[in-house]
Amino acid sequence: MTQIVETETRISPSRPDGLSGFASDWASDQRTFKNVSWGKAMMWIFLLSDTFVFGCFLLAYMSARMSTTVPWPNPSEVFALNIGGTEVPLILIAIMTFVLISSSGTMAMAVNFGYRRDRRKTALLMLLTAFFGATFVGMQAFEWTKLISEGVRPWGNPWGAPQFGSTFFMITGFHGTHVTIGVIFLLIIARKVWRGDFDTEKRGFFTSRKGHYEIVEITGLYWHFVDLVWVFIFAFFYLW
């Protein structure tokens, strides 16, 4: 018996030329974001936009510092702590940096155990990450309180250029807000992981799919971004 195999030729729609084609390409999730969840894609887009914001803040700080005719306060003196009668420069900032960088390690391990479906270790590591983040925010609050008590204001300070106070409070405050939001989300997701919401498909925020631990990775993306931004703030604001 002769079998006749009919082949159907499918002609894919042509891609428009010029700017319309560019917009059409980027508007299609089957091309630009193929095999990437919308949650992860939106987080990357948010982080990209946030990079521009922090970049503008740091550029404004550098422009103000290089253009002022009044001497800029010495960070080693401004951020020194008196320990046992000795002024130790940048000791608090060094501890804050160590704590925040360490939290990136615990977050990375949480993501690893999340994809292994080890919910207890995942939750504990996320809680540890949140503890590090809260410790960082607490130390930053102590730093702010110390500087305010010494006379630092957004419009002036006792040591030099008045722009120092405004740029310091703007940049560190904006970053501290990001860390605080990250800690809140870490606690929320850790609680859901600990209860097994991702395993039982319990309906709620971020738990619409069974075994869907990708939200842990998405939270980790945000947290690593916050840590990376602090590295630039530490280098440009405290070491320069």
Side-chain angles (χ1 to χ4, degrees):
M1 183 176 65
T2 304
Q3 294 181 347
I4 301 175
V5 179
E6 296 182 356
T7 60
E8 179 182 355
T9 303
R10 295 181 180 179
I11 302 175
S12 59
S14 61
R15 179 178 177 271
D17 296 327
L19 186 60
S20 299
F22 179 81
S24 176
D25 197 19
W26 277 83
S28 172
D29 64 327
Q30 293 302 315
R31 295 182 181 181
T32 308
F33 296 118
K34 189 174 183 178
N35 299 326
V36 177
S37 69
W38 277 113
K40 190 182 294 185
M42 291 301 103
M43 177 56 73
W44 277 114
I45 292 174
F46 167 75
L47 296 182
L48 180 61
S49 64
D50 225 21
T51 300
F52 292 137
V53 176
F54 276 107
C56 290
F57 282 174
L58 289 174
L59 285 174
Y61 154 71
M62 288 186 285
S63 298
R65 180 165 181 173
M66 290 186 293
S67 62
T68 181
T69 57
V70 182
W72 197 265
N74 186 353
S76 297
E77 298 175 0
V78 175
F79 301 106
L81 282 183
N82 191 302
I83 302 177
T86 304
E87 292 290 331
V88 182
L90 300 175
I91 181 63
L92 179 64
I93 311 304
I95 297 173
M96 291 169 62
T97 303
F98 175 78
V99 168
L100 203 59
I101 296 302
S102 298
S103 71
S104 263
T106 55
M107 188 69 240
M109 289 190 289
V111 173
N112 184 18
F113 283 110
Y115 278 112
R116 294 182 184 182
R117 303 292 190 271
D118 192 334
R119 61 185 181 88
R120 293 193 179 275
K121 289 182 180 178
T122 302
L124 288 174
L125 285 166
M126 293 186 75
L127 290 174
L128 182 58
T129 305
F131 171 76
F132 283 146
T135 302
F136 175 88
V137 174
M139 289 189 290
Q140 191 171 64
F142 171 80
E143 177 191 34
W144 274 42
T145 303
K146 175 179 176 294
L147 292 180
I148 292 173
S149 66
E150 292 174 350
V152 179
R153 300 291 186 272
W155 53 85
N157 64 87
W159 301 291
Q163 297 93 331
F164 171 82
S166 59
T167 54
F168 170 77
F169 288 126
M170 178 183 67
I171 294 175
T172 60
F174 194 62
H175 178 265
T177 302
H178 278 68
V179 177
T180 303
I181 293 172
V183 169
I184 294 172
F185 271 94
L186 281 168
L187 293 175
I188 293 173
I189 301 303
R191 180 172 178 267
K192 289 180 175 293
V193 172
W194 182 266
R195 294 190 311 181
D197 290 0
F198 297 107
D199 298 321
T200 59
E201 202 174 357
K202 183 177 181 180
R203 288 289 178 178
F205 288 110
F206 315 119
T207 53
S208 59
R209 289 164 56 187
K210 186 174 182 180
H212 191 60
Y213 281 81
E214 190 182 49
I215 186 61
V216 178
E217 181 184 0
I218 294 173
T219 307
L221 290 175
Y222 175 86
W223 194 257
H224 293 317
F225 170 78
V226 169
D227 292 353
L228 180 61
V229 168
W230 176 254
V231 172
F232 284 95
I233 295 175
F234 177 74
F236 285 104
F237 206 97
Y238 294 99
L239 298 183
W240 182 15

